[in-house]
Each structure stands twice: as C-alpha cells, then as structure tokens.
Amino acid sequence: MTTDPALQFAVSTDPGGAAVLHVRGEADLATAEALRERLLAEFARHDHLVVDLSRAMLYDGAALRALHALYREAVRTRRQPPALRGVRPLLAKALKATGMHTLFPRQDHPPFPPARTTRPRTRRPEPLPTAA
C-alpha cells in the first residue's frame, strides 16, 4: 500500500483474473484528487478492474466526483465501468441519492471471518493474603 496515512491503495488479482484496487482510508476534499488519479490510472492499466471500497470511508462530494470521473472515462473509452466491491451503507446511500447507484456494477464483498462465538476464558481472582 502507499504510505499516505489518509488514503492508501493496493492492487491484487482476484481468482477470476480481474485486477482489484483496494482503497483504504478517508476520501474527502483533501484526498479526492489522489483517489481520482489512481482510479483512472488503474482503469487505464487493466482490462478488468474491481474497486474494493470495503475499507474506504467516502464521505463528501469530492470523492463522489472521483468515482464519477471513472464512470465518464469508461463511457469515453467505450468500456464497462469497474465493479464496486464492499460498498458501505453510507456510500450506498450517497450513490443512490445522487443517482450514481446505477452507473457501476456491484459485487458483494467476500465474507468476513465469522465472529468469535466462544466466551473468552476468565481467570478466577487470586485470594487475598490473609493477615497473620
């Protein structure tokens, strides 16, 4: 991943051969241009791209504009827009409110490991020393 603490990127390949751009951190006015540049660069580099947003916090209009720039590039190049994976409820709501929810195919995020269901072991308190 890149070293910028506010927004980080990593690229991997999923079992189907698609490149997956993992986005982590907060995408806001301060980092939206970096998000836009990376989205467009990876889209140009890979024939089949999935954008994994499961660890991204996308809050403002600047981040939505970065996603919209990606869609416009797909239209301009006559390619299928990248699929969005791991869209959190807040982003899903923003995409729907702006009408952008129809622009990108969606993928479910692979399931997270099951939550721990066993109770943690508790130690019995040691007895207090008795006064002699």
Side-chain angles (χ1 to χ4, degrees):
M1 293 224 169
T2 53
T3 58
D4 182 359
L7 196 59
Q8 300 174 338
F9 306 98
V11 178
S12 67
T13 304
D14 73 6
V20 180
L21 174 63
H22 303 270
V23 182
R24 182 178 185 168
E26 292 186 24
D28 54 18
L29 185 59
T31 61
E33 185 59 29
L35 174 62
R36 180 183 173 280
E37 289 175 4
R38 189 62 184 262
L39 289 170
L40 294 175
E42 296 301 333
F43 184 66
R45 189 173 293 127
H46 303 284
D47 291 332
H48 187 197
L49 180 67
V50 175
V51 180
D52 186 336
L53 299 169
S54 61
R55 293 188 171 191
M57 303 293 165
L58 299 165
Y59 290 115
D60 67 8
L64 293 176
R65 285 190 296 277
L67 287 174
H68 197 262
L70 178 60
Y71 173 76
R72 287 192 316 268
E73 183 64 12
V75 169
R76 187 186 74 73
T77 58
R78 298 184 179 169
R79 291 176 54 195
Q80 173 75 21
L84 301 182
R85 178 186 292 169
V87 174
R88 293 173 176 259
L90 185 61
L91 176 58
K93 187 176 179 180
L95 290 171
K96 186 162 184 152
T98 59
M100 290 177 56
H101 66 290
T102 62
L103 302 182
F104 296 93
R106 298 274 283 279
Q107 282 188 0
D108 291 332
H109 191 274
F112 292 101
R116 185 175 175 169
T117 57
T118 58
R119 296 175 77 183
R121 293 183 188 189
T122 56
R123 294 183 358 184
R124 293 183 186 195
E126 294 186 24
L128 295 173
T130 55

